[in-house]
Amino acid sequence: MQTTARQPFNVHSHHTVFGLEIQDARLASLTRRVLVLATISATIVIAKTVWELVYNQGTPAVASVIAAILGLAVPACGYFGAKKSDQNLTCCFCGCNFLGSCGQLLTLCSSWALYKFAAYVVDHCDPGKKDPNDDSCKLDWKQIFCQKNPDWSDQHCYNFVEDQERALKTAVMTATLISIPLILLQCLSFCWGKKLYDVLKAGDVIHVPPSQFVTRPVMAQPVMAQPAGQ
């Protein structure tokens, strides 16, 4: 006689993701990816903000703090949006990642454009070596580069730009190494966050609250006394 294995009482398996009970395996995997990427992204934002405040004196402190707050708000929006099946929070989650990636990309491109301009000036516009008949580098050195030092000569301004170009190259390279992983993480978080938003918009509920047993009161029956001798 063959015996069959006893089936578990709860045949519906749930997947626990950051304290959330999610029944669908695909949604559980998607939610886990979104929350993990958002947390990593926020950590990188904090590290980048600390670096800017400590080493880069040209970045406004208010802008750095605002960027850090937005970075920390992203995981919270993702978590509570999934926990409460809230479309608004999930939309905020993917929207912040989209805006953050666009802002980081724009800042990175602007930094590289500034560096390339400074490098071109250093390589082609040295006042001490410039050909008098060459009109390709007609620069007002004092107006563009030395407004704070109007008594400087053109050669002195050029030497200042040359020193700044070397420091700018190091800063841009460092910012690139930090920004590229952040941009990739934010793009992935936006894509997967958008998928979560579409699921909620379709009316699906991601989080399954823990099941509870429903009890009903049962009246106790009195025990009848048995006659002696029986």
Side-chain angles (χ1 to χ4, degrees):
M1 181 177 179
Q2 295 181 352
T3 59
T4 57
R6 179 177 297 179
Q7 297 295 329
F9 178 75
N10 185 10
V11 297
H12 300 287
S13 61
H14 292 168
H15 304 271
T16 303
V17 179
F18 283 76
L20 304 176
E21 295 293 335
I22 303 176
Q23 186 172 351
D24 187 88
R26 183 182 63 86
L27 291 181
S29 177
L30 179 62
T31 303
R32 182 182 294 106
R33 291 176 184 179
V34 167
L35 296 180
V36 169
L37 286 176
T39 303
I40 296 175
S41 178
T43 303
I44 294 178
V45 168
I46 293 175
K48 182 175 182 293
T49 303
V50 172
W51 177 83
E52 288 180 349
L53 293 176
V54 174
Y55 297 103
N56 191 1
Q57 301 298 329
T59 303
V62 176
S64 299
V65 172
I66 292 176
I69 293 175
L70 291 176
L72 292 174
V74 170
C77 289
Y79 176 80
F80 289 107
K83 182 178 181 181
K84 300 180 179 180
S85 298
D86 193 308
Q87 297 184 30
N88 295 327
L89 292 178
T90 309
C91 180
C92 178
F93 170 75
C94 61
C96 287
N97 278 286
F98 175 76
L99 294 177
S101 61
C102 292
Q104 290 290 334
L105 185 61
L106 180 61
T107 301
L108 190 61
C109 292
S110 300
S111 299
W112 274 104
L114 179 61
Y115 163 70
K116 290 297 184 180
F117 172 73
Y120 179 85
V121 170
V122 170
D123 294 338
H124 299 88
C125 301
D126 187 350
K129 301 179 182 179
K130 181 181 177 182
D131 186 355
N133 298 324
D134 186 8
D135 297 333
S136 60
C137 284
K138 286 186 177 181
L139 299 176
D140 189 345
W141 290 92
K142 296 180 181 180
Q143 182 66 27
I144 299 176
F145 302 106
C146 303
Q147 292 183 1
K148 297 182 180 180
N149 300 279
D151 55 334
W152 283 8
S153 63
D154 291 350
Q155 187 63 45
H156 197 171
C157 289
Y158 171 83
N159 295 335
F160 171 77
V161 173
E162 186 178 19
D163 294 337
Q164 294 298 313
E165 185 265 343
R166 296 168 184 166
L168 182 60
K169 180 179 180 179
T170 302
V172 170
M173 293 296 294
T174 305
T176 300
L177 293 176
I178 296 175
S179 298
I180 287 180
L182 178 61
I183 293 173
L184 292 177
L185 286 172
Q186 288 177 328
C187 289
L188 290 175
S189 298
F190 164 71
C191 293
W192 284 327
K194 179 63 167 56
K195 290 182 179 180
L196 275 179
Y197 172 76
D198 292 338
V199 169
L200 293 176
K201 190 175 181 180
D204 296 336
V205 178
I206 298 176
H207 174 52
V208 178
S211 59
Q212 297 180 354
F213 295 101
V214 179
T215 60
R216 60 184 181 86
V218 178
M219 299 299 296
Q221 299 294 329
V223 179
M224 301 296 295
Q226 297 293 333
Q230 292 185 0

